[in-house]
Amino acid sequence: MEEPFKSDENLKRKLVAAAVAVQFGLLFIMYSATPGYVIPLFQITIAKTIVLFSLLWQSLGLALYRYSPIYRHRKFHFALQTVVLIVVFMAPFSLVFLIGPAVPTHPTMAM
Amino acid sequence: MRCSENIVESRERLIKRYILKCAIIQFIFAIGSCIAFHEQFLNLINDEILGPTLIAFAIWNVIGIAFYSFFIPTNKIAHDMQKVLILILFFAPTISLLTFGPMLKGGQTFYSPQSIECFREEPKAKETVHMFFARHPIARGEPLTTKNTIVLAVDPQKNVGGIIATKSNHFGDSTNKDSMLLRKCIYPIEAGSPIRDSDIEPHY
């Protein structure tokens, strides 16, 4: 029988892998379905900068999530850490490619 | 047996702490590079090769952190070797490009970063119009593209002869006969200068 600490660790590892796989899978599907929607993200300077920093922010969050130990109130701490990872660290990059290209960046679009 | 398990666990904790440190250092490097070498950083981001490479490295870094445990078995490789492998595989590409990239791109002139803010702003005064400007120096015979040209909100009195951006000539639709895209420059244009009708071919 596995110790609680070990099982949490394994679950965290699986969650991180699954979340990143889903995120990049979604990005790949979006790129395959509507390349015109995703490509501007990698052409406009501001968009590229935001993509870069959101990725680095996400990698920081993933490292922090894998490192953060759980001592007491196992379920609560586990859920809290997971929610913080998803909402604070993973959401920015997801939002960038989900709704980022829809934000008007060209002044003539408003004409 | 129990002792060896504890050693493996403590090593895992050390590796996780090490990865966290690397991730923090990497983020600080990126912020520092962006603040200290702002213009060079924008040049790096805008570069045709280095820009996509940097983003690819960042993606590789995220995937690496998520899957490092599958790539690098904790109990089969020596502890120090794991650290070196993690650093070389996942962090070194991004950190080195963030550190040395701005230096590589230091020589190229990039039009004022403030223009990017203007690019997103709507005209505030009635007399303001949108005109085409050269983002980089454009050589004779070179076509206009979304990379070397930019649209800015300006006062038309100060930019007489500049081409006003309209629905029909704005970027994004190079097949339109009025589009500014792919029009060749007859004369070289300096970075930041307005693009005039006399500078391009075919004329309006």
Side-chain angles (χ1 to χ4, degrees):
Chain A
M1 191 174 166
E2 279 187 316
E3 289 175 30
F5 172 77
K6 204 70 189 167
S7 67
D8 283 346
E9 281 297 297
N10 286 333
L11 193 55
K12 268 189 175 184
R13 195 175 289 185
K14 282 176 193 168
L15 267 174
V16 164
V20 173
V22 166
Q23 195 180 36
F24 282 96
L26 197 62
L27 178 62
F28 182 74
I29 290 167
M30 277 183 68
Y31 176 73
S32 309
T34 52
Y37 187 77
V38 179
I39 285 172
L41 274 179
F42 302 97
Q43 287 181 334
I44 301 167
T45 312
I46 288 175
K48 279 193 281 192
T49 312
I50 293 171
V51 165
L52 175 70
F53 278 101
S54 62
L55 278 167
L56 295 181
W57 179 246
Q58 181 167 320
S59 65
L60 182 67
L62 291 176
L64 194 65
Y65 181 69
R66 290 285 284 117
Y67 172 72
S68 307
I70 297 170
Y71 294 119
R72 287 175 292 174
H73 310 297
R74 257 186 67 208
K75 281 185 182 173
F76 174 72
H77 276 166
F78 189 85
L80 185 70
Q81 285 180 12
T82 309
V83 168
V84 168
L85 171 74
I86 292 168
V87 174
V88 179
F89 292 102
M90 293 187 76
F93 178 60
S94 306
L95 289 177
V96 162
F97 72 77
L98 284 173
I99 62 166
V103 177
T105 51
H106 199 285
T108 51
M109 283 177 78
M111 286 180 189
Chain B
M1 189 66 184
R2 178 72 197 154
C3 183
S4 65
E5 271 180 21
N6 283 340
I7 289 169
V8 170
E9 263 182 28
S10 65
R11 278 183 173 183
E12 271 192 33
R13 278 190 65 76
L14 282 173
I15 286 289
K16 279 188 270 181
R17 186 181 294 173
Y18 174 75
I19 287 171
L20 179 60
K21 275 182 195 168
C22 287
I24 291 169
I25 288 168
Q26 181 179 248
F27 196 72
I28 290 170
F29 258 89
I31 297 275
S33 179
C34 184
I35 293 168
F37 311 103
H38 190 63
E39 204 161 322
Q40 290 91 333
F41 186 81
L42 287 173
N43 284 337
L44 174 72
I45 290 275
N46 274 304
D47 190 77
E48 284 181 6
I49 300 165
L50 294 179
T53 310
L54 185 59
I55 290 174
F57 282 163
I59 291 172
W60 169 245
N61 183 253
V62 170
I63 293 172
I65 292 176
F67 292 94
Y68 82 90
S69 46
F70 298 115
F71 294 147
I72 304 166
T74 46
N75 53 352
K76 288 191 178 168
I77 305 173
H79 181 68
D80 290 338
M81 187 56 91
Q82 276 187 59
K83 281 187 169 181
V84 173
L85 273 177
I86 288 166
L87 183 70
I88 290 174
L89 273 178
F90 304 132
F91 289 97
T94 328
I95 291 176
S96 54
L97 198 53
L98 282 169
T99 314
F100 301 113
M103 293 176 201
L104 291 174
K105 299 305 297 175
Q108 192 184 335
T109 314
F110 182 80
Y111 187 58
S112 166
Q114 279 78 23
S115 65
I116 293 157
E117 294 305 317
C118 302
F119 187 55
R120 294 174 68 85
E121 276 179 12
E122 289 306 310
K124 283 170 186 158
K126 272 185 182 175
E127 60 270 18
T128 307
V129 293
H130 291 101
M131 282 185 177
F132 291 97
F133 286 79
R135 188 198 288 256
H136 303 290
I138 306 173
R140 182 186 299 172
E142 198 179 322
L144 301 179
T145 64
T146 50
K147 288 192 175 174
N148 61 20
T149 320
I150 194 166
V151 171
L152 300 174
V154 290
D155 181 356
Q157 300 294 328
K158 291 178 185 171
N159 296 282
V160 179
I163 298 167
I164 294 171
T166 62
K167 255 187 179 177
S168 60
N169 70 5
H170 82 279
F171 302 142
D173 186 10
S174 59
T175 53
N176 188 326
K177 65 179 173 62
D178 292 332
S179 175
M180 281 288 280
L181 283 183
L182 306 178
R183 281 175 189 250
K184 287 188 178 171
C185 291
I186 307 169
Y187 305 107
I189 305 172
E190 287 178 13
S193 305
I195 296 169
R196 296 184 169 84
D197 191 24
S198 54
D199 293 337
I200 55 166
E201 207 172 46
H203 298 294
Y204 274 97

